[in-house]
Each structure stands twice: as structure tokens, then as C-alpha cells.
Amino acid sequence: MTLALVGEDKTARERLREFLRIYASVNTRLAYATDLGIPLDWVPGYTPPDPSRRRGRRRAEPTGLEWLNWCGANGFRFADVRVEHVERWLDELAGAGYSDATRGRMLSAVSAFYAKYLLREGLATQNPVSLVDRRAQHLNKPAGTPSTTKRWSFQACRALLMAAYLLAEHRRDGVRDRAMIEILVGTGVRADELVGVNLDDYRRAAAHDIGILRVHGKGGKDREVALAPPVADALEDYLRVRAEPAVPALPGQVNAAVRPIFVTSTGRRVHASHLQAVLTRLCRTFTETPRQQWLRDLMATPEAEFIATHLGPLRDTIHPHSARHSYATHAVERGVPPRQVQRDLGHAALATTEGYLHDEDNVRNSAAHELAPALHRGWLATSS
């Protein structure tokens, strides 16, 4: 990549790697690299997956409309970019079929690149993104706008925990997967935060006490989350059977000084995509015709019927991030102050937490239930 936008003292590769090192998480670095158009082999700490073992969604190939590629094609230096150039870029993204959500995310990546690196390094004098009219670009979402992420009902959360518990002894990694589901549902942590924890991030003073897990959140911000006794017990059940991998990880896969809590049989840290696979498998196991005899026997129990009833509707839409929204909503519905939920989730602003809440009580208790019938009473036959 040749970019006429960096100082003469460093190459483009060196500059962009410096920017990416601002973020502690390799997954965060990959996200910014993808949105900005930075080659993935420039990302510090990134090891390309083995193509023969790669599962799940593959990263999209560059289209040439990523910010760095677009600037290079148009001969722009970062110091010369103005707001009209950014808006022209956004228009081209829209014309190429990029959704508003994707354009908004890519614009935020450009803004972070300017604010956190270029301005501090003296490679630009202003952040042109700050002058973009997001409303005109259809990128403006008011603070506190409810998220479109699906929330799981309280009973669906119970069904997930029951399903993971019932299958724990029948799957090769069932005990590990159950611990991950318990933490995901019981704390509201992000999937990346969950798989990013290490052995020295967990502590528990005594049996039957709460556990404390330090998670590494966005922007390099750590926080401690409480593991209620049932959740901590599930984690310790896994730690008792967790063994150091018989096959050492390949160089670069896991730092020798870091010991992840959740590892694969080959020594690699479990990837966040594994949580999606586990959730999908739990739903399908209890909603499809079983083949093994032990599973047929299990499906005949009342517990399995309960699980199938509540996980069946989630089978095609279940996603790990829904656990985060469900945690926030169910906590507030049970009287937990929103400020505490904000701290639990690691949100910088309360408005972000409010956007997670799917408060059905507000709908059920709405004044509309009193006003509308009163307006129609006496002249509309169906009104009471």
C-alpha cells in the first residue's frame, strides 16, 4: 500500500501499526483495519487462520471503497481532506449499496483515526468527520434509541442455562461451553470480553461466595464483573477439568505469558464465533428429531419440553449479543437501578444502556390502555 499521507520519517505500515496498537484487543484492531482498508497482515498480533480449518464467516474482501483505498485512489493527503470529501465518500458508499449502519461504522473508524492518531501526530490539523451532517447522511440515531437486537424472555434465558447443564456431560467440551453460557447470560459481558479473559483475571475468596472476573472491554478499559455463586460454580467445574493442551499452540497463537481461561484442545484461545455455534447447537439439539438413544430419553423429560418450547422460536435468530440486552432488561425489570446496570455492562453513558432496555412493563402500563377505551366507550360496540 502506497499512501501519500504520512510523515517522511515513517512508512505507511509503521504509521498504521502505531494507530492499531492504541487498541489492546486484536479483534478491535481487525475491525478498524477492515473498515479503514488496512491490510490484515499489518495488524499487530494477528495470525491468519489455517484455511483448511477455518469455520464460520470469512472476512469480506476489500472493495476499494475503504477510506485508505479511496483516499489513495483520489490522491488525497490526510492533511488536505475536507468535510466535502468525506461526504462524497459516504455518497459513493451509499451508491455501492452499503447500509446506513455500515457507513456509520466506517465513518466512526475514520473519526477515531483522525482524533486518536493523526491529530496527535501532527499529520492533520482538523478532524473533517466532526463537521459531517450525520442527519443528512441518515446516520444519526438519537441517544437512547431502542436497539433492534432481539431480547430473550426470562424463560428463554432459563431454558438456555438448563440446556447447557443437561448437555454438559454428553459433549466433549460441554463443561467448558456450559461455563461460557452461564457467564454470558449471568453477567451481560460481550462475547469478545468473555473469550478474552485469562486465568489470572478470576478470583473467588471462598466456596459459596461470589466470584469476580476482570474483563477487558472496549478502548482498553478493564472492569470487574460479579459472578453469582451458581455462575462461579459452573466456571470452577470447568477449571477443575481444564487441562493444559497436549498439543502446544503454534507460535503467535497464544502468548506464552498469557493463559486463557477458555481454550481449545489445540491450545488456542476460544474464538468469539464459538459462542454463536454453541447457542445455535443448543437450540437445534432440543428442537430437532434426536438420533442417539440417550438424547431420545432426555427429550422425553419435562425439562426438555420446557427448553424446546422457549428455544424453538430463537433457533434461526439467536445471537450472543442478545444475552447482553436480556441482562439489562431483566435486571431493570427486577428493580436494579439503571446506573448499576450501566456499570455492569461497561457503558460510558447511561443513554447507551437505556438503548438496550426493552421495557415491556412501560408498554403494558401505558396510559393508552385507559385513554383509548374511554374515547370509544358508548359508541363503539367492541369497547368496554
Side-chain angles (χ1 to χ4, degrees):
M1 174 180 287
T2 302
L3 299 173
L5 39 81
V6 296
E8 298 297 332
D9 57 325
K10 297 180 181 178
T11 65
R13 180 188 179 105
E14 291 172 334
R15 289 284 187 186
L16 295 173
R17 285 172 65 88
E18 279 184 351
F19 163 67
L20 293 174
R21 285 195 184 96
I22 294 173
Y23 303 97
S25 167
V26 174
N27 285 332
T28 302
R29 295 173 183 173
L30 285 171
Y32 277 98
T34 301
D35 286 340
L36 290 171
I38 301 173
L40 296 188
D41 58 356
W42 290 14
V43 177
Y46 173 64
T47 302
D50 182 350
S52 65
R53 303 186 61 183
R54 178 69 174 173
R55 295 187 300 174
R57 186 181 64 181
R58 296 180 181 272
R59 292 190 176 272
E61 294 295 326
T63 63
L65 288 176
E66 298 81 10
W67 178 248
L68 296 183
N69 296 327
W70 187 84
C71 285
N74 288 276
F76 291 139
R77 295 172 56 90
F78 284 163
D80 301 329
V81 171
R82 300 188 300 275
V83 62
E84 52 265 34
H85 298 141
V86 179
E87 291 176 341
R88 177 179 143 198
W89 170 63
L90 290 170
D91 290 340
E92 291 189 21
L93 290 176
Y98 283 72
S99 68
D100 291 343
T102 301
R103 292 192 304 132
R105 189 191 68 235
M106 295 174 74
L107 184 65
S108 295
V110 175
S111 181
F113 187 34
Y114 271 89
K116 296 185 177 182
Y117 186 76
L118 295 178
L119 293 177
R120 293 184 179 184
E121 292 291 313
L123 299 176
T125 58
Q126 65 172 351
N127 181 357
V129 175
S130 64
L131 302 176
V132 171
D133 186 347
R134 287 177 174 263
R135 186 179 298 276
Q137 291 286 339
H138 308 290
L139 305 177
N140 192 40
K141 185 173 75 171
T145 300
S147 171
T148 56
T149 300
K150 299 295 184 182
R151 186 209 69 173
W152 302 332
S153 69
F154 185 77
Q155 298 297 353
C157 292
R158 285 170 54 87
L160 277 171
L161 298 180
M162 291 174 62
Y165 171 78
L166 292 175
L167 296 181
E169 300 301 328
H170 297 280
R171 304 293 189 191
R172 184 182 64 179
D173 295 314
V175 178
R176 180 199 67 191
D177 292 345
R178 182 204 167 201
M180 297 180 74
I181 296 299
E182 286 278 357
I183 297 174
L184 186 73
V185 175
T187 66
V189 297
R190 300 178 180 91
D192 284 343
E193 293 173 342
L194 176 54
V195 299
V197 294
N198 303 312
L199 288 175
D200 59 2
D201 291 326
Y202 172 69
R203 68 182 189 275
R204 192 182 193 186
H208 309 300
D209 197 0
I210 66 168
I212 298 177
L213 188 66
R214 182 175 66 247
V215 298
H216 313 289
K218 289 183 176 180
K221 297 179 181 178
D222 292 356
R223 71 182 188 282
E224 291 188 337
V225 297
L227 304 186
V231 181
D233 289 345
L235 177 56
E236 295 200 355
D237 285 345
Y238 162 64
L239 293 178
R240 278 191 289 270
V241 300
R242 177 190 180 277
E244 295 299 332
V247 180
L250 296 175
Q253 289 182 344
V254 177
N255 188 322
V258 175
R259 299 175 65 201
I261 288 183
F262 300 108
V263 295
T264 67
S265 59
T266 60
R268 301 189 67 170
R269 185 186 296 274
V270 170
H271 193 269
S273 62
H274 177 70
L275 280 168
Q276 175 69 63
V278 171
L279 291 171
T280 301
R281 184 166 62 243
L282 289 176
C283 289
R284 291 182 175 176
T285 298
F286 286 89
T287 57
E288 294 180 349
T289 303
R291 296 181 180 179
Q292 300 96 328
Q293 183 60 49
W294 69 266
L295 189 52
R296 287 197 292 270
D297 294 340
L298 177 61
M299 293 297 289
T301 64
E303 292 83 0
E305 182 179 357
F306 172 84
I307 293 170
T309 298
H310 293 285
L311 294 192
L314 305 180
R315 173 174 166 170
D316 297 325
T317 60
I318 196 164
H319 190 277
H321 202 65
S322 291
R324 193 165 166 81
H325 288 248
S326 303
Y327 177 89
T329 301
H330 297 317
V332 170
E333 288 178 348
R334 279 158 180 75
V336 178
R339 283 289 183 187
Q340 181 58 53
V341 177
Q342 175 192 353
R343 288 190 286 269
D344 289 350
L345 298 182
H347 288 154
L350 181 60
T352 305
T353 306
E354 291 172 343
Y356 274 48
L357 301 179
H358 303 244
D359 195 350
E360 294 181 356
D361 283 342
N362 285 344
V363 177
R364 287 192 292 266
N365 298 329
S366 171
H369 299 304
E370 296 295 332
L371 180 59
L375 291 172
H376 294 85
R377 190 173 296 120
W379 63 270
L380 189 62
T382 57
S383 299
S384 57

